[in-house]
Amino acid sequence: MTTQVPVPATPELLEELRHICAETVEIPIDMVTVEADLTADLGIDSLTMDEFVVLVLQRYGMSAHVHTIQPMSYPTLGDLADLIQRLNSESSRSND
């Protein structure tokens, strides 16, 4: 079970995503960059990509979106960070 944490500012979020990705796919952190294509550059298969995105959504309390997100639509960590920030922003607005 992943502990839910608040979504940090984008630079910190990107760094957290790098660490989660490196741990999930068991590759050195220095190989994981914001711009790297997770499948083409890092060789992450679709099942591992699904697992990674689910872990990230759970971490930031966005599990409700697991079935509506197509992980392969977010090929880089930058793309995934943008999604997390957008979902967080939408959630914040709906809670006001």
Side-chain angles (χ1 to χ4, degrees):
M1 177 80 190
T2 304
T3 303
Q4 182 178 330
V5 298
V7 176
T10 300
E12 292 82 11
L13 175 60
L14 288 167
E15 194 58 28
E16 287 182 13
L17 292 177
R18 287 183 67 229
H19 284 275
I20 296 167
C21 181
E23 186 176 301
T24 301
V25 298
E26 299 176 351
I27 58 175
I29 186 79
D30 60 331
M31 290 180 64
V32 183
T33 66
V34 174
E35 306 84 21
D37 185 295
L38 299 172
T39 55
D41 297 333
L42 301 180
I44 298 174
D45 63 43
S46 61
L47 290 176
T48 304
M49 184 70 169
D50 289 351
E51 176 187 344
F52 169 56
V53 172
V54 167
L55 283 172
V56 168
L57 292 173
Q58 288 174 342
R59 176 176 176 83
Y60 298 111
M62 300 175 181
S63 296
H65 298 283
V66 166
H67 299 292
T68 61
I69 300 297
Q70 295 294 321
M72 300 307 276
S73 297
Y74 304 93
T76 69
L77 292 183
D79 295 328
L80 186 56
D82 290 345
L83 169 68
I84 298 299
Q85 293 293 12
R86 181 175 54 80
L87 292 174
N88 186 55
S89 187
E90 289 172 4
S91 174
S92 295
R93 281 195 301 266
S94 68
N95 291 333
D96 287 343

